Amino acid sequence: MKQKSKPKPIVIQSPDNGNITVKIYRVQANSSLKDGTKVRRIHFQVADYSSGKRKLRTFADEQEARAAAAKIATQLARGDVAAHVMTNRDATDYLHSVELVKPTGIALPIAARHFAEAVKILGGDLVIEAAKYYQKRHAKIAVNKSVTEVYDMLIADAHARKLSDRYIQDLEHRAGKFADAFQCPIAAVSADDVRGFLAGLRTTRNEDGGKGTTSHALSGRSHNNYLGAINRLFEFAKARRLLPFDHDDLSGIEPVKDKGGEIEIYSTGEIDRLLQAADDDILPVFVIGAFAGLRSAEIERLDWSEVNLAERFIEVKAGKAKTASRRVVPITDNLATWLTPIAQKSGLVWELGHAYFHQRLREVAAATGSATVEAMKLKDNGLRHSFISYRVAQTQNVNQVALEAGNSPTMIFQHYRELVTRKQADVWFSIVPSGDEEMPTLQQAEG
């Protein structure tokens, strides 16, 4: 006859060291009642090695046996003398606490410390309420989205909303550089990380007529433009529930003061050299910038259909203007002379895209040099600054020029009012292509 196998022992592990275990054995024994009735009872024996020798301790109740085993396991794992004085009730509470925190994967001492700190901050009655509030705010947050994934979603959204090409290109450049630098979840990026990224950015500039480059720290405006693009990335993540709404790690990063710099303008001799060096593809950019004052980004978006030579004005539509306000810029006599032979009925004035725009400007500047003459250096926003300066001197009307340039009268008055003389302005707006030197100036035409 096959003998019944013994029941497997109950194994109690130490919560601090899973390799330390204490076994509990189920033992069945026959006994007799007072009336002589025979009964079979089960009791539990705990294998206690805490004294260095195996000793079986017997308990009638399983929970008491488990509590004693937990106490012994703790004593063996820690060598903690406190385990020697634990009552069975203490051991039972300890074992129950271990079972409660076990699903979290957090050790009991750590869980106790976290709870104590939370109670110190909030008070015992508010800990659970705070946890519920946090869970409500963060329940749907996809914390594992990487910076690159959020960036890709941002650019796709910009295209879907048909934002301007110039805006998207700028966002791709600035936010894209940030995404390349942080191959990690967006939630893991701290304010200090962003500060370090901004501090490490450099820009290169052509020197010596384009023959070499030097590296410089970002200007205040460029720094703030990068910060704006990064903020846009994080705001998009919050709007898409990829970050909590109250995520404010970037709120402490203040924009730097944009001190700008001295307004630099071209002399009449310098603009003449640039125009002579410009080929047909880039010539409209130079003359519209110099004699109508449109911003580079506005020229990039400008269509020939918006250049009305018959009625002598250029329409800068609201969607293409930096200020999002429509304005009409007059075409001066000399600008009309430059544009008439090259104007088209429709199509972009600059067709080669943003990436090539500034490169072509630099190439023209480099082309002004020769074996005996040093090449010119481009001035920052020099074409627009020159137009405003010469136009203010010509019209003596700050409000009028502010409307034409899409600037505030205060800005015009503070920065452009005394840069050039009326005589220099008359020469500026009489510059025409070779062979058209007899063309009357605007004042002559009006007078």
Side-chain angles (χ1 to χ4, degrees), residues 203-235:
T203 185
T204 57
R205 297 176 188 167
N206 285 316
E207 305 289 350
D208 300 328
K211 296 177 182 179
T213 60
T214 58
S215 178
H216 303 266
L218 290 183
S219 66
R221 177 174 296 182
S222 292
H223 177 282
N224 294 338
N225 286 341
Y226 269 101
L227 179 58
I230 296 168
N231 272 317
R232 178 73 189 96
L233 184 72
F234 277 79
E235 290 301 317

Side-chain angles (χ1 to χ4, degrees), residues 49-94:
Y49 288 87
S50 60
S51 63
K53 295 181 180 181
R54 186 173 186 266
K55 179 181 178 181
L56 292 176
R57 299 174 57 189
T58 302
F59 298 87
D61 182 77
E62 180 180 347
Q63 286 302 113
E64 289 182 356
R66 285 178 175 270
K71 181 173 69 173
I72 294 167
T74 301
Q75 178 185 355
L76 293 172
R78 292 184 173 182
D80 187 353
V81 295
H84 291 286
V85 297
M86 285 175 68
T87 65
N88 284 344
R89 177 59 184 272
D90 292 336
T92 300
D93 290 344
Y94 180 83

